[in-house]
Amino acid sequence: MKTSNPPQNFSTLPPDCVLNALESVGFRSDGRLLALNSYENRVYQIGMEESAPLVAKFYRPERWTDAAILEEHAFVQELAEREIPVVPALVLNGKTLHNFEGFRFAVFPKHGGRAPELENRDTLEWMGRFLGRIHAIGALKPFRERPSLDIASFGKQPRDYLLTHEFIPADLNAAYRSAVNQALDGVSHCFARAGEVSAVRLHGDCHAGNVLWTGDGPHFVDFDDSRMAPAVQDLWMLLSGDRSDMVRQLSDVLAGYEDFCDFDQRELHLVEALRTLRLIHYAAWLAQRWDDPAFKQAFPWFNTQRYWQDRILELYEQIALMDEPPLWQA
């Protein structure tokens, strides 16, 4: 169930509240506070008086239940115990999830690093090895509290939100409705071609920004979108460029991945379908957060006439791509 404290919004999370929250779990800050790049939640690097800086993550109110957040924490801890390079929440006073003035938060050790060089074949294979290890653990049992990635939650519900809340300009409404419905039909056909594929616990948002690279290789961070999904959900976001580029990149990732976990090649039918769902979901995510001033500042191009024209063209491009053969076959 959700926290019993009254829900807050981030406008009531000033710097002194952040620092006081850390002090409530036993950490005394030296006053240095750096906001990190996060819009869904609020994440801060906080200097400590007598130790290395820490990272505090304040969860967006009402997005997840406490049980769902704790399930994410437990999964990351399970990976860390298997010596997979992830960053688990610190256990403080026997807990990983804390509450201060209505805000739920967790504290993490600070890990530095740079973005991975995904054009490098060795890097892709290295990433594949660690994703294979994550998925091998993720397949051992299902999530009970966290959702699955499916057509309803990532496609139909976001579509309905955009249409019923009148985000689409009136003169583009019919065009968007036609494009998104055709795109969702294409997604359904892709899933039908793939057949029954397994869902595992996985990262869920495995783009380069959620990987920190050091001399020891990758560290995976921010499992906030962790859920049940086909394994290829964590692979396709590492691919870019034209079709020949993505075929090579996928081959490199799978070369490492299959050292630790079998990959069901039928999931390759889902690459463009999952990309299409992400595009629809992303537009609705922006719309659902549009009353948050941080979103208006960070995404000033959202909800303009040009934005929705581009989304319609993008959906038609995806409709065509979903009709093409899978990227790679052995």
Side-chain angles (χ1 to χ4, degrees):
M1 59 184 296
K2 292 187 173 74
T3 176
S4 58
N5 288 346
Q8 303 285 321
N9 62 63
F10 288 131
S11 66
T12 61
L13 183 64
D16 61 338
C17 183
V18 172
L19 299 179
N20 290 338
L22 266 289
E23 188 168 346
S24 75
V25 292
F27 293 107
R28 184 173 293 278
S29 168
D30 62 8
R32 291 177 297 161
L33 186 68
L34 175 65
L36 301 181
N37 187 24
S38 177
Y39 298 107
E40 182 66 358
N41 304 296
R42 293 294 184 268
V43 183
Y44 302 93
Q45 178 181 306
I46 303 171
M48 294 289 111
E49 286 187 349
E50 299 179 354
S51 63
L54 296 173
V55 173
K57 176 179 180 180
F58 290 78
Y59 291 91
R60 179 170 290 274
E62 300 190 312
R63 183 183 181 220
W64 294 119
T65 64
D66 288 358
I69 295 173
L70 290 171
E71 194 170 48
E72 172 213 332
H73 290 179
F75 178 44
V76 178
Q77 182 60 44
E78 186 180 356
L79 297 174
E81 290 171 354
R82 305 295 183 98
E83 299 184 344
I84 297 173
V86 294
V87 184
L90 296 175
V91 179
L92 306 171
N93 302 319
K95 302 185 297 183
T96 57
L97 183 62
H98 313 280
N99 195 296
F100 185 81
E101 295 188 1
F103 288 102
R104 295 171 298 169
F105 71 98
V107 183
F108 300 83
K110 178 183 179 295
H111 280 264
R114 63 184 187 278
E117 298 175 358
L118 295 182
E119 67 277 4
N120 184 298
R121 302 187 71 163
D122 291 338
T123 297
L124 289 171
E125 188 170 342
W126 203 338
M127 292 277 287
R129 286 197 296 271
F130 280 118
L131 285 172
R133 293 176 64 193
I134 289 172
H135 292 177
I137 302 305
L140 295 178
K141 60 183 180 181
F143 281 137
R144 300 295 184 188
E145 302 293 337
R146 300 186 73 80
S148 296
L149 195 165
D150 55 32
I151 298 173
S153 61
F154 262 63
K156 295 179 180 178
Q157 292 171 15
R159 172 202 61 190
D160 294 346
Y161 184 90
L162 291 169
L163 292 172
T164 58
H165 287 77
E166 300 181 349
F167 274 90
I168 317 300
D171 59 325
L172 296 176
N173 188 284
Y176 181 83
R177 186 185 298 270
S178 176
V180 74
N181 286 338
Q182 289 181 60
L184 289 175
D185 286 344
V187 170
S188 296
H189 293 152
C190 288
F191 273 84
R193 287 195 293 271
E196 290 292 330
V197 296
S198 298
V200 301
R201 296 176 296 166
L202 44 64
H203 187 285
D205 193 24
C206 192
H207 56 76
N210 281 332
V211 180
L212 298 176
W213 197 275
T214 69
D216 296 323
H219 276 75
F220 293 84
V221 298
D222 194 5
F223 279 70
D224 194 62
D225 285 298
S226 184
R227 62 190 65 234
M228 300 292 296
V232 75
Q233 169 64 15
D234 274 354
L235 306 185
W236 73 262
M237 275 187 273
L238 302 177
L239 314 179
S240 62
D242 61 24
R243 183 180 175 88
S244 62
D245 291 331
M246 290 191 288
V247 167
R248 177 190 61 79
Q249 294 159 6
L250 181 61
S251 179
D252 293 337
V253 171
L254 288 178
Y257 185 92
E258 293 193 305
D259 286 343
F260 294 94
C261 192
D262 291 334
F263 180 75
D264 184 348
Q265 291 188 30
R266 294 178 303 162
E267 293 189 23
L268 296 177
H269 287 286
L270 303 179
V271 170
E272 294 303 333
L274 291 168
R275 192 192 311 274
T276 301
L277 290 176
R278 183 176 177 85
L279 293 172
I280 298 169
H281 184 268
Y282 182 73
W285 175 71
L286 290 173
Q288 290 164 346
R289 305 291 186 259
W290 201 231
D291 60 351
D292 183 335
F295 276 66
K296 289 184 172 66
Q297 181 176 357
F299 308 103
W301 37 259
F302 174 71
N303 210 31
T304 62
Q305 188 84 2
R306 177 62 181 272
Y307 174 82
W308 292 111
Q309 290 171 338
D310 289 345
R311 300 292 73 74
I312 292 167
L313 292 174
E314 188 176 59
L315 287 173
Y316 279 118
E317 290 172 357
Q318 286 304 118
I319 291 166
L321 289 170
M322 286 187 286
D323 279 337
E324 294 188 3
L327 282 178
W328 178 82
Q329 292 178 338

